[in-house]
Amino acid sequence: FKSNLHRDSLYSNILIGDVNTDNNIDILDVILIVSYILGNNNSINFDYADINYDGAIDISDIILILNYILID
């Protein structure tokens, strides 16, 4: 599995999965999404965290990021 995690927006080229916007997709991004799902973090950038474009931030987005990290 290797995907193109760049999404074009009106103002910038967003790196999907880079939830903390440090220009890296890593375990810190996974931690932020898990924290959001558990209700410990209410502020998350939906455009960066919704990896599969299904309109929800959930375990499937975490799995996609982990696959990206492990294969990259």
Side-chain angles (χ1 to χ4, degrees):
F1 170 82
K2 187 72 172 174
S3 66
N4 179 4
L5 295 179
H6 288 278
R7 181 184 299 171
D8 291 326
S9 74
L10 183 60
Y11 301 106
S12 67
N13 193 16
I14 297 172
L15 181 59
I16 303 305
D18 183 19
V19 181
N20 63 354
T21 62
D22 65 353
N23 292 318
N24 293 306
I25 299 174
D26 53 22
I27 195 67
L28 297 175
D29 301 303
V30 174
I31 291 169
L32 284 176
I33 293 176
V34 169
S35 179
Y36 175 81
I37 291 171
L38 295 177
N40 298 327
N41 179 8
N42 292 329
S43 63
I44 195 167
N45 189 321
F46 203 86
D47 289 333
Y48 292 86
D50 185 20
I51 311 301
N52 60 0
Y53 314 113
D54 68 350
I57 300 171
D58 53 22
I59 188 68
S60 60
D61 298 304
I62 294 170
I63 291 169
L64 289 171
I65 291 176
L66 289 173
N67 282 339
Y68 178 83
I69 291 168
L70 295 174
I71 292 175
D72 192 25

